[in-house]
Amino acid sequence: MNLSIDIKPISASKIDTVDFDNLAFGSTFTDHMFVCDYRNGQWETPQIIPYAPMEMSPAASVLHYGQAVFEGMKAFKDDNGSVWLFRPEQNAKRINASAERLAIPQFPEDQFLEGLKALISLDKAWVKSGAGKSLYVRPFVFASEAGVQASAASEYRFMIICAPVASYYGGDVRVKIADHYSRAPQGGTGYAKAAGNYGGQFYPTQLAKNEGFQQVIWTDAATHEFIEEAGTMNLFFRIGDTLITAPTSDSILDGVTRKSVLSLAEHLGIKTEVRTLRVAELIEASTSGALLEIFGSGTAVVIQPIIGFGYKGKTYETPLSENSYALMLKQQLMDIQYNKAADPFNWRCKVCD
Ligand SMILES: *Cc1c(COP(=O)(O)O)cnc(C)c1O
């Protein structure tokens, strides 16, 4: 693969048309996008070009068989105007783990990181500093080959697009624990950020929304007895003073925020346990008062407190307390992300000044 990136910058930025204080999550995009095509068994010279709609064959394989994977990460601006990514090498590795599961060719990790830095540097004016503001970065790969034969494609497109965002969720989040629908079976694609994993969740999530919940907590597909994760968040449960999260498996996404929360919690002297958790144990802990907090972790939300859950028609409350682990860990993580605190783990990666 050619190491240089072919850059065709925009002639005039559209940034002045954007109201950065009123952004719906992930619906406004920056001036440029990164594009790299895979043909004849290799990745061609990557390009950075003006963000725009693109032409695609109606027979493009992705539209028929869903061969697509993606990543989600954020860039942050510190008070000196420098721009940082958070553990981007983790996303570079993970998109390839996802790609492998979907029979998509590997994208070289150094090219992934270089492409990210070049694109974000070019669009750095779109990374705003200030409370909760960041640039959401969405790398993805899809099968672009025209043809409806049901087999792995031979042509792909790797892209990165960027969306300036404020914070992800507003308001309180209550979740419904799944007792019928499943997100990911054993041996399936749950550990991959594969497009189809998400499309399949929208209907059960809509049903949960009709019942007054914002999200679904997925349980294992075989028995629905074990807690797995939420739509795009891993989950933590504070029972007593111990923070519990499920072990990653082939049905659970190995979240970068999840592993960062675990490291940070251990660093702060909070007891953590990575183990399976039964729904029955959760209900019991809630009833006895031992369940003090539930929160989700993911790039978009960082940490999202969950203030209640429903299971088989009953609801359980987990109100947010002032000395919650969720708020404390969120603050500490964000302080590292925004270069406001020391970074003992070397998680920050500078993009540009
Ligand atoms: C992306 C995602 C997460 C969170 O991963 P992060 O790397 O922390 O953003 C958790 N669960 C699912 C299903 C996801 O898609």
Side-chain angles (χ1 to χ4, degrees), residues 17-344:
T17 66
V18 175
D19 177 0
F20 283 87
D21 293 318
N22 290 293
L23 289 166
F25 185 88
S27 55
T28 301
F29 296 92
T30 61
D31 286 327
H32 297 92
M33 60 187 190
F34 180 95
V35 185
C36 185
D37 285 323
Y38 183 90
R39 281 193 204 99
N40 303 315
Q42 60 178 348
W43 293 103
E44 299 183 339
T45 302
Q47 292 185 301
I48 292 177
I49 57 177
Y51 181 92
M54 57 195 180
E55 208 162 76
M56 211 158 79
S57 164
S61 182
V62 64
L63 299 176
H64 303 270
Y65 305 116
Q67 222 189 338
V69 298
F70 68 95
E71 267 305 320
M73 48 208 304
K74 275 180 176 171
F76 307 91
K77 188 166 271 180
D78 71 18
D79 293 338
N80 304 317
S82 299
V83 177
W84 304 85
L85 282 163
F86 184 71
R87 309 186 76 176
E89 72 293 342
Q90 298 288 327
N91 303 88
K93 284 197 178 70
R94 193 171 64 189
I95 199 167
N96 280 332
S98 299
E100 180 183 36
R101 180 62 182 81
L102 273 286
I104 293 172
Q106 301 284 292
F107 193 79
E109 283 175 30
D110 53 343
Q111 290 292 294
F112 178 96
L113 297 170
E114 208 176 303
L116 271 177
K117 286 185 184 170
L119 178 65
I120 297 167
S121 302
L122 199 58
D123 282 342
K124 70 176 178 188
W126 293 79
V127 197
K128 299 297 182 188
S129 56
K133 289 186 178 156
S134 61
L135 188 72
Y136 184 77
V137 181
R138 168 54 60 90
F140 57 108
V141 199
F142 62 92
S144 52
E145 186 185 7
V148 295
Q149 69 283 10
S151 59
S154 63
E155 293 179 5
Y156 296 87
R157 176 165 281 191
F158 175 95
M159 300 186 71
I160 308 173
I161 56 176
C162 304
V165 293
S167 52
Y168 192 49
Y169 285 114
D172 293 340
V173 170
R174 288 168 197 280
V175 294
K176 176 178 176 164
I177 299 182
D179 58 11
H180 173 70
Y181 292 102
S182 306
R183 189 188 89 91
Q186 264 179 28
T189 57
Y191 71 90
K193 265 182 132 64
N197 290 348
Y198 304 83
Q201 295 183 56
F202 297 157
Y203 175 65
T205 303
Q206 260 172 14
L207 296 180
K209 282 184 178 162
N210 294 342
E211 294 177 54
F213 302 102
Q214 282 72 41
Q215 296 231 355
V216 174
I217 286 189
W218 299 104
T219 48
D220 71 292
T223 67
H224 295 295
E225 279 182 33
F226 295 94
I227 302 278
E228 295 209 318
E229 59 170 324
T232 54
M233 298 189 295
N234 295 109
L235 293 171
F236 287 85
F237 301 87
R238 177 182 176 183
I239 297 183
D241 281 330
T242 304
L243 209 45
I244 301 166
T245 191
T248 53
S249 68
D250 62 3
S251 56
I252 297 183
L253 199 285
D254 184 5
V256 178
T257 320
R258 172 187 174 278
K259 62 178 95 168
S260 306
V261 166
L262 282 173
S263 303
L264 193 58
E266 280 156 23
H267 183 74
L268 295 169
I270 294 172
K271 190 164 171 245
T272 60
E273 280 178 10
V274 176
R275 65 168 173 89
T276 55
L277 181 66
R278 282 177 185 272
V279 180
E281 181 185 348
L282 189 67
I283 305 274
E284 207 177 278
S286 174
T287 310
S288 75
L291 176 66
L292 301 181
E293 284 181 65
I294 306 177
F295 61 86
S297 71
T299 295
V301 292
V302 190
I303 287 177
Q304 172 65 54
I306 292 169
I307 61 157
F309 65 93
Y311 181 62
K312 295 197 167 164
K314 279 186 142 179
T315 56
Y316 303 82
E317 302 299 316
T318 47
L320 190 61
S321 71
E322 265 186 18
N323 45 17
S324 85
Y325 285 173
L327 297 184
M328 191 262 290
L329 289 164
K330 179 171 187 173
Q331 190 60 52
Q332 298 235 3
L333 261 182
M334 289 179 69
D335 284 350
I336 294 175
Q337 291 176 329
Y338 285 86
N339 193 21
K340 285 182 192 252
D343 178 17

